[in-house]
Amino acid sequence: MLRRHFTTLAVGALATPALAQGADAWPTRPVRFVLPVAAGGALDMVGRLLAQQLQQRFGQSFVIENRGGAAGVPGMDAVAKSQPDGYTLLFAAAPIALNTALGMRLPYDVGRDFAPVSLVASIPALAAVHPTRPERSLADVIAAGKSPQGFNMAVPNVGAVTHLMAEVLRAKSGPGFTVVAYRGAGQAIQDALSGQVHGFYDALVPTGAHVVGGRLRGIAIGSRQRHPMLPDVATVIEQGMPELIGSGFYGILAPAGTDPAILAKLHAGIVATMGEGTELRTRLISQGYEVHASTPAEYSAFIREEITRWTPVVQAAGIKVE
């Protein structure tokens, strides 16, 4: 589902022969678990479920702190500037990479100020159209943008990964292809369902439910294999556009300088929490997510690759985030 292959459920690079004495005792007090979004939504839901499981595993509270707004920058900055003692963690989504790709002036440096621990979950992107539309493939959508009638594709937010994917389609199409960026998914979904816009590019969750219900028609899913929720929707690879493989992704990071032994213990806990047959893994998969427990090195490399991948798309499209 993601562009890299992640080692699944292995402790990986942080494993050490023996943890330092301080890490053996960690955590001895509540852990601050920062979610750089407002309450509600996918990141908040997954983060809260994960925090509950980690709390049970480590015997200490993982206290949720929602710090939303400004593309998650305040929450991410708060973690970057926290003491690297293992008691402040960040549960971040795609903006951990996209904010840099978008050229935003950030008070932190992603590569310098964070210690990635593990990718946790991802959800593929889904392109869909109103069921009254004639398009049934990405090629049809591109052709519609070249036609006199044109084609408009709604996306939930300026700078969202699906906005960037839609811009890739626009670059392949003609002047009649318009990307309509909303301020939030709610109104974008309503306009897609009512036919006010021709197409909608968002995550499988929640958009896939509208495809299952027949209120939208799935055009393409941004994964390497077809998704069990929508087995009849072809992948972007099947349609000859592997550059559109992509997803929303969620992972845990700590402030740079956190004791590697503490991070190793945390990573081992994540691996155990997300293992085969565990409650959280089963629940997330049933909702359409893919579950990961990548090594820190893999997660770090993936963030760098996403920045490299999307920066030229942003520049070519002239996207500006206010």
Side-chain angles (χ1 to χ4, degrees):
M1 186 174 296
L2 295 178
R3 296 174 61 242
R4 285 177 54 86
H5 169 72
F6 288 98
T7 301
T8 302
L9 304 172
V11 174
L14 279 182
T16 54
L19 298 178
Q21 184 175 358
D24 275 336
W26 179 91
T28 60
R29 54 186 171 87
V31 177
R32 180 184 174 211
F33 203 59
V34 178
L35 309 183
V37 292
L43 177 70
D44 184 67
M45 183 275 291
V46 177
R48 288 176 183 274
L49 291 174
L50 178 59
Q52 291 171 6
Q53 295 298 313
L54 293 176
Q55 179 170 305
Q56 293 176 18
R57 183 162 298 277
F58 288 111
Q60 283 289 344
S61 297
F62 278 65
V63 181
I64 298 293
E65 181 180 321
N66 290 98
R67 298 195 62 162
V73 172
M76 289 185 270
D77 186 46
V79 174
K81 292 179 170 55
S82 294
Q83 287 295 319
D85 55 9
Y87 290 94
T88 298
L89 301 174
L90 174 68
F91 192 59
I96 192 70
L98 295 184
N99 287 352
T100 299
L102 289 163
M104 296 175 61
R105 293 184 178 181
L106 302 173
Y108 55 82
D109 181 279
V110 173
R112 180 192 65 213
D113 296 330
F114 294 100
V117 180
S118 180
L119 187 76
V120 169
S122 60
I123 191 76
L126 174 66
V129 298
H130 193 269
T132 61
R133 295 288 304 177
E135 295 83 16
R136 295 182 179 275
S137 68
L138 292 176
D140 290 343
V141 168
I142 291 169
K146 296 177 180 179
S147 72
Q149 293 77 25
F151 186 90
N152 52 62
M153 179 73 82
V155 296
N157 290 289
V158 174
V161 67
T162 48
H163 179 189
L164 305 184
M165 292 173 178
E167 291 290 353
V168 171
L169 289 177
R170 185 183 65 80
K172 294 176 179 290
S173 187
F177 192 107
T178 304
V179 179
V180 185
Y182 285 70
R183 292 188 176 182
Q187 188 60 52
I189 290 175
Q190 291 305 312
D191 285 356
L193 294 175
S194 68
Q196 294 295 310
V197 293
H198 302 148
F200 185 48
Y201 218 150
D202 197 14
L204 175 66
V205 178
T207 308
H210 298 298
V211 175
V212 172
R215 295 178 292 275
L216 293 173
R217 179 190 304 126
I219 292 295
I221 192 159
S223 52
R224 295 187 179 278
Q225 294 85 33
R226 294 198 183 196
H227 197 280
M229 181 185 293
L230 299 173
D232 295 330
V233 178
T235 68
V236 293
I237 290 181
E238 290 176 278
Q239 299 184 54
M241 298 186 193
E243 66 271 33
L244 291 177
I245 293 173
S247 63
F249 57 91
Y250 313 134
I252 293 183
L253 305 95
T258 302
D259 184 346
I262 291 177
L263 297 183
K265 187 175 183 180
L266 172 61
H267 185 265
I270 295 168
V271 170
T273 297
M274 312 301 286
E276 292 289 342
T278 58
E279 176 186 351
L280 181 56
R281 180 183 180 87
T282 301
R283 181 168 180 177
L284 290 178
I285 290 175
S286 72
Q287 294 181 10
Y289 292 90
E290 183 170 299
V291 175
H292 309 277
S294 73
T295 67
E298 287 170 333
Y299 185 28
S300 180
F302 177 69
I303 291 171
R304 292 195 303 271
E305 288 178 0
E306 287 293 281
I307 293 170
T308 300
R309 175 191 185 190
W310 293 119
T311 297
V313 175
V314 170
Q315 294 172 346
I319 298 172
K320 303 293 183 182
V321 179
E322 296 179 359

